Amino acid sequence: MRAKRAKSYRKAMQFYQQAFGFREPYQILVSPDFILAGVSKQVPVKARLEEAVQGQAKFLVTHCGISELLKTTSEFRTQAITASKEFEKRRCPHQEPIPGLDCVREIMGDENKNNYCVAVQDDDLRAKLRTVPGVPILHVKQSVVVLERKSQVAKDASRQMEKDKLGLSELERSMLRAVKKQANEAKNEKRKKKKKTAGPKGPNPLSIKKAAKKPQVPVKATKPSQEKSTGNASATV
């Protein structure tokens, strides 16, 4: 694999790790049409899939997928069945086998709960998987296993999850509102108590005018001659 492509695939898988929690060994759900395409083009499927996801992988095939390979009339039937025996059997909920692609579609549903990578050739199923957030999709193209680019749905889901992580949950918001309400109530109660205990304020000393002093009337001194005549008069009486 070329270094540029390997770097691109590595960055893509790092995106799935950080955004959706993918971990090695990656679980790759392999459809029967992918196995047939691989053996028909003489592609070492397991080795090329691990190169595409840039890490160790665990390969899964459903019982419905194996049943489809057993019934196929393809000239590569024997090789495909031999290749499928190297994969781990993934249980599916179907008592009676259904077409392998339908089985994969039902297992994936509308969200990739099990963090599966999906190796599939069918165009319609690949288009459906692009609408499911966080699904690495692989297919065989000209004897090369290709990891598709991240879908817009995956990018949007990643951005929303980042916002949710940075923001507060509804429970956290309600708790924060309750704490703020209690703090405001305590603050208002404190203000009320302060108003009750404080007495009436006195006047501003700077605004009080000083009382004007009354003018003192000077006392006139009596003359000595008057005092003497007054004394004689009192003696004659």
Side-chain angles (χ1 to χ4, degrees):
M1 181 181 288
R2 293 178 181 177
K4 188 175 180 180
R5 180 177 292 178
K7 184 179 179 181
S8 172
Y9 289 173
R10 195 178 305 114
K11 285 180 69 176
M13 293 311 297
Q14 286 173 354
F15 165 79
Y16 290 112
Q17 286 179 356
Q18 294 169 3
F20 301 99
F22 279 66
R23 294 289 179 271
E24 290 189 54
Y26 301 116
Q27 298 185 94
I28 303 178
L29 188 59
V30 186
S31 70
D33 67 338
F34 181 90
I35 297 173
L36 283 168
V39 297
S40 67
K41 297 179 184 297
Q42 299 182 348
V43 175
V45 174
K46 291 178 73 173
R48 294 296 175 264
L49 282 172
E50 286 193 330
E51 281 184 2
V53 296
Q54 290 291 295
Q56 296 181 347
K58 197 161 128 181
F59 307 96
L60 309 172
V61 61
T62 67
H63 289 282
C64 293
I66 294 171
S67 177
E68 185 170 314
L69 290 175
L70 291 170
K71 294 176 183 177
T72 186
T73 57
S74 170
E75 60 179 305
F76 302 103
R77 174 180 178 274
T78 303
Q79 295 156 284
I81 292 170
T82 303
S84 69
K85 289 179 180 178
E86 298 180 9
F87 301 157
E88 186 177 319
K89 307 301 180 289
R90 202 277 186 193
R91 287 186 182 182
C92 58
H94 308 114
Q95 299 266 335
E96 294 294 326
I98 64 173
L101 294 176
D102 293 340
C103 182
V104 171
R105 186 180 288 106
E106 286 188 24
I107 287 172
M108 296 303 294
D110 295 328
E111 54 181 320
N112 191 6
K113 293 181 179 178
N114 298 302
N115 286 348
Y116 286 144
C117 307
V118 182
V120 59
Q121 291 298 110
D122 185 75
D123 291 335
D124 292 337
L125 182 51
R126 276 162 43 199
K128 168 67 174 63
L129 292 173
R130 290 185 199 110
T131 66
V132 180
V135 182
I137 304 170
L138 306 110
H139 66 276
V140 177
K141 183 179 181 181
Q142 297 178 353
S143 302
V144 177
V145 174
V146 176
L147 173 64
E148 290 191 5
R149 292 182 179 180
K150 303 182 289 288
S151 68
Q152 189 59 46
V153 173
K155 293 176 183 177
D156 293 342
S158 173
R159 289 193 196 99
Q160 186 58 48
M161 285 188 286
E162 284 298 320
K163 287 181 182 178
D164 293 341
K165 286 178 184 177
L166 295 173
L168 298 174
S169 66
E170 188 56 38
L171 177 61
E172 289 172 329
R173 287 193 191 98
S174 62
M175 290 174 66
L176 184 60
R177 284 193 293 267
V179 170
K180 284 184 177 179
K181 186 178 179 182
Q182 289 178 357
N184 289 333
E185 287 176 354
K187 193 174 181 180
N188 292 334
E189 191 65 27
K190 190 175 180 181
R191 283 178 180 173
K192 288 178 183 178
K193 288 181 179 179
K194 191 174 181 181
K195 285 181 180 180
K196 287 179 181 178
T197 53
K201 292 183 179 180
N204 187 346
L206 297 176
S207 65
I208 299 174
K209 293 183 178 180
K210 292 183 179 180
K213 293 183 179 181
K214 293 181 180 181
Q216 294 181 356
V217 180
V219 181
K220 291 183 180 181
T222 55
K223 293 181 178 180
S225 58
Q226 291 179 348
E227 290 178 359
K228 187 175 179 182
S229 59
T230 305
N232 293 336
S234 60
T236 315
V237 175

